[in-house]
């Protein structure tokens, strides 16, 4: 689905739910992956973290920025670039990010498994580190 605004994102989410899916992947006007309907998306290929660049039409989320920083701290190579749907299907791991779901593994698209069909090691590592970051910021805010 090509998405450029919030209403279209809500409609994409509704369409996904009607089809029995939890989320919809949204393409930009060039047919490249931009984001999910309410989340940013990351892929892991050859140990490298990939995510659509801001020029792809994404909303630059706070959680996305935190994940990019954590990846840098963990010495995980990151590439922000154009991402195709084929890249998703060839990825070893994928996950979604937003403030509510934090980091959520995406293990399949259109009934096709991504990688092993389970959360991968990079995703799990980032989930642990993100939880630590949230706990530290919650504790320091008290």
């Amino acid at each position: 689905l090509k998405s450029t605004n919030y209403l279209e994102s809500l409609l994409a989410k509704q369409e996904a739910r009607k089809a029995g899916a939890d989320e919809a992947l949204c393409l930009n006007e060039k047919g490249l992956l931009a984001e999910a309907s309410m989340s940013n998306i990351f892929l892991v290929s050859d140990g490298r973290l990939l995510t659509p660049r801001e020029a792809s039409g994404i909303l630059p989320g706070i959680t996305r920025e935190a994940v990019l920083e954590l990846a840098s701290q963990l010495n995980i190579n990151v590439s922000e670039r154009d991402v195709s749907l084929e890249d998703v299907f060839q990825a070893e791991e994928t996950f979604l990010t937003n403030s509510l779901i934090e980091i959520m593994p995406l293990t399949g698209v259109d009934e096709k498994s991504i990688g092993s069909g389970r959360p991968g090691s990079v995703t799990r590592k980032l989930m642990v580190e993100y939880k630590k970051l949230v706990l530290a910021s919650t504790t320091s805010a008290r």
Side-chain angles (χ1 to χ4, degrees), residues 3 26-28 32-36 39-41 52-53 56-58 83:
S3 180
C26 300
L27 306 178
N28 64 22
L32 297 169
L33 184 63
E35 57 195 355
S39 310
N40 292 110
I41 187 167
R53 55 193 183 98
S56 295
I58 68 167
V83 177

Side-chain angles (χ1 to χ4, degrees), residues 48-60:
R48 173 176 289 238
L49 193 60
L50 307 173
T51 191
R53 55 193 183 98
E54 287 188 30
S56 295
I58 68 167
L59 291 173

Side-chain angles (χ1 to χ4, degrees), residues 44-102:
V44 178
S45 290
D46 297 323
R48 173 176 289 238
L49 193 60
L50 307 173
T51 191
R53 55 193 183 98
E54 287 188 30
S56 295
I58 68 167
L59 291 173
I62 295 168
T63 307
R64 178 183 184 273
E65 287 303 315
V67 167
L68 291 172
E69 282 185 40
L70 286 171
S72 176
Q73 293 169 12
L74 295 168
N75 294 318
I76 298 169
N77 290 326
V78 178
S79 179
E80 294 180 73
R81 64 169 177 82
D82 289 340
V83 177
S84 70
L85 276 179
E86 189 60 32
D87 292 328
V88 174
F89 293 118
Q90 292 179 358
E92 296 152 13
E93 307 174 37
T94 56
F95 61 88
L96 305 174
T97 64
N98 72 34
S99 296
L100 293 175
I101 64 171
E102 297 180 348

